[in-house]
Amino acid sequence: VVVTGMGAVAPGGHSVPAFWRTLADGRSAVDAISLFDASRLPCRVAAEVRDFPVRDALPQKTRKLELRIVAFTLAAADEALAQARLDPAGLSAPALRRAGVLLGTGAGGIEFGERQYEIFFGGNGRQVSAYGILGSFVGMLSSEVSMAYGLRGPSHVVSTGCTSASDAMGYAYHQIRAGALDVALTGGAEACIAPGIMTAFCRMGTMTTSGNDEPAAASRPFHPERDGFVMGEGAWVLVLESLDSAVARGAPVLAEVAGYASTCDAYHRVRPEPSGEEAARAIELALEDGGVPADEVGYLSLHGTATELNDRIETRAVKIAFGDRAHAIPASGIKSMIGHAQGACGAAAAVATVCALRERFLPPTINYAPGDPECDRDYVPHRGRAAGGAAAVVNTIAFGSKNSAIVLRRYRE
């Protein structure tokens, strides 16, 4: 199973080249929140997608709804399909039936839903959109994409918290590998920088409160004084297809998807299980799934939320999974630059990792400082660097004790 196209609408750039340049240059896309008045929140910074023409990216009939998450996803899908040289309008009916959409999101259209509730509780019930429910529904995301391109295969949204996009990509990979699909649009999207959800996360105590005066330094994965994540948003879409399909079409092959697995700590709604054993097992099973030897892995894209427990336990899991090699494998936390896009973060990391494999260059973890004795790995601090590893692991961890890992490999004919 191979990647033939990628698209991104992200903090710091509205295309994959722009997104990758932000990461490779080590630039922060975090700033003061502009989407709403956040002055009363403990956390007033986020990694927003700025200056994006939401209405222009939507089909004419849905423009008045201004579904931010759908606009992001369709623009990213357009870019991915163009790179893959795949025009759905030119596909036969049988081919369209073997092309699916499997996307991940945590909050779906919650930003649109919050706007409708605000109208309702403001006493203007007659002004609530007739699509208030459908627009807020998590499952609408894949439906909008399937309808936009006429794809008639499975149209599914996976919503497993922060592992959503990784799980969606993993399911797409397995369906293609099993012969059930030829092509899948997969990845993830999120647009949840909204008052209600931001307030809820602040109440939970998982968001940073120390970065309001210096937004660019707010997201600090693995830093000894880290105090929570920065919310991010965006959409990252990949075209996955069987190698036979890609070769038959003459499509570019960007990378190979070489394994996927997920596990559950079955431990707590919010906290990861302290030993890190199940997170490690997800990595081990993903490598086993693709038959990739652990010593072939030359890069890790870590979940790295900048929360105290996640970073420490994730580092512990990596040590379990790779043993003595753990300190020799460079790893980075791209959330230091683009924040935490919740259910889409695995797709953001996957796109970045494919770029890293192709460019033979690793993005950095900015805002890092040593000092936590349990976060003692090579996190590619401050500046990116050249590297030539053949395989990489994208690691994600979610509320509810979920762990998922995707293995990507540089394509070799």
Side-chain angles (χ1 to χ4, degrees):
V1 179
V2 294
V3 181
T4 56
M6 301 192 299
V9 173
H14 302 165
S15 66
V16 169
F19 166 63
W20 173 244
R21 184 47 50 200
T22 293
L23 299 183
D25 290 348
R27 287 186 282 115
S28 174
V30 179
D31 208 337
I33 292 172
S34 68
L35 291 169
F36 65 93
D37 179 4
S39 59
R40 297 175 63 183
L41 288 180
C43 178
R44 299 184 290 278
V45 298
E48 298 177 349
V49 174
R50 297 283 179 94
D51 304 318
F52 181 77
V54 171
R55 290 177 63 86
D56 292 347
L58 291 168
Q60 185 69 39
K61 61 183 179 181
T62 58
R63 283 183 181 175
K64 65 180 180 180
L65 302 180
E66 295 192 28
L67 287 164
R68 191 173 175 83
I69 190 171
V70 174
F72 291 168
T73 307
L74 290 177
D78 280 347
E79 182 185 10
L81 288 167
Q83 184 177 32
R85 303 172 194 164
L86 181 61
D87 180 5
L91 295 180
S92 65
L96 289 170
R97 291 181 179 129
R98 293 185 56 81
V101 178
L102 295 97
L103 298 170
T105 184
I110 196 168
E111 180 264 346
F112 175 75
E114 281 196 23
R115 283 189 272 134
Q116 302 313 305
Y117 279 116
E118 184 178 6
I119 293 168
F120 174 77
F121 286 114
N124 298 314
R126 290 183 178 274
Q127 294 180 24
V128 170
S129 171
Y131 295 98
I133 295 297
L134 294 178
S136 307
F137 173 46
V138 169
M140 63 87 193
L141 185 61
S142 65
S143 299
E144 293 293 328
V145 175
S146 294
M147 290 188 291
Y149 302 111
L151 304 180
R152 301 175 191 171
S155 182
H156 295 166
V157 171
V158 179
S159 190
T160 49
C162 303
T163 61
S164 298
S166 294
D167 294 331
M169 292 184 293
Y171 298 157
Y173 157 67
H174 278 161
Q175 287 212 37
I176 294 170
R177 192 175 71 173
L181 289 175
D182 293 329
V183 177
L185 278 179
T186 188
E190 207 73 87
C192 56
I193 303 174
I197 196 164
M198 290 284 291
T199 299
F201 274 117
C202 285
R203 289 284 294 159
M204 196 184 298
T206 55
M207 300 189 75
T208 181
T209 58
S210 64
N212 294 318
D213 295 332
E214 193 178 354
S219 184
R220 299 180 291 176
F222 311 104
H223 191 290
E225 298 177 6
R226 62 192 182 274
D227 67 334
F229 70 80
V230 170
M231 187 70 79
E233 64 175 355
W236 294 265
V237 174
L238 300 89
V239 177
L240 301 191
E241 57 187 303
S242 66
L243 180 60
D244 287 346
S245 171
V247 170
R249 296 194 309 102
V253 176
L254 308 180
E256 178 188 354
V257 184
Y260 160 76
S262 64
T263 64
C264 185
D265 299 343
Y267 175 71
H268 194 274
R269 294 183 185 91
V270 178
R271 300 188 191 99
E273 195 276 320
S275 75
E277 290 179 358
E278 289 303 325
R281 194 166 69 92
I283 295 171
E284 294 165 351
L285 289 173
L287 292 168
E288 181 182 322
D289 181 53
V292 178
D295 60 8
E296 192 176 315
V297 175
Y299 173 61
L300 301 173
S301 180
L302 298 179
H303 195 57
T305 57
T307 53
E308 194 273 332
L309 286 176
N310 177 92
D311 292 5
R312 174 159 44 88
I313 295 170
E314 183 176 23
T315 300
R316 191 174 298 165
V318 167
K319 293 176 181 178
I320 295 170
F322 291 97
D324 293 340
R325 283 198 68 241
H327 288 282
I329 306 174
S332 51
I334 65 171
K335 292 181 179 67
S336 60
M337 295 169 278
I338 62 165
H340 185 8
Q342 300 296 306
C345 69
V351 169
T353 300
V354 171
C355 290
L357 289 169
R358 287 174 58 77
E359 300 292 331
R360 299 175 185 265
F361 187 86
L362 307 182
T365 304
I366 66 169
N367 303 324
Y368 171 75
D372 185 335
E374 295 199 66
C375 294
D376 58 352
R377 298 195 61 259
D378 174 6
Y379 299 112
V380 193
H382 311 304
R383 295 183 179 178
R385 72 169 77 123
V393 174
V394 174
N395 194 55
T396 49
I397 299 171
F399 285 163
S401 300
K402 298 178 179 67
N403 313 286
S404 294
I406 295 271
V407 181
L408 299 168
R409 187 159 49 186
R410 185 178 298 112
Y411 176 63
R412 297 172 295 188
E413 294 186 21

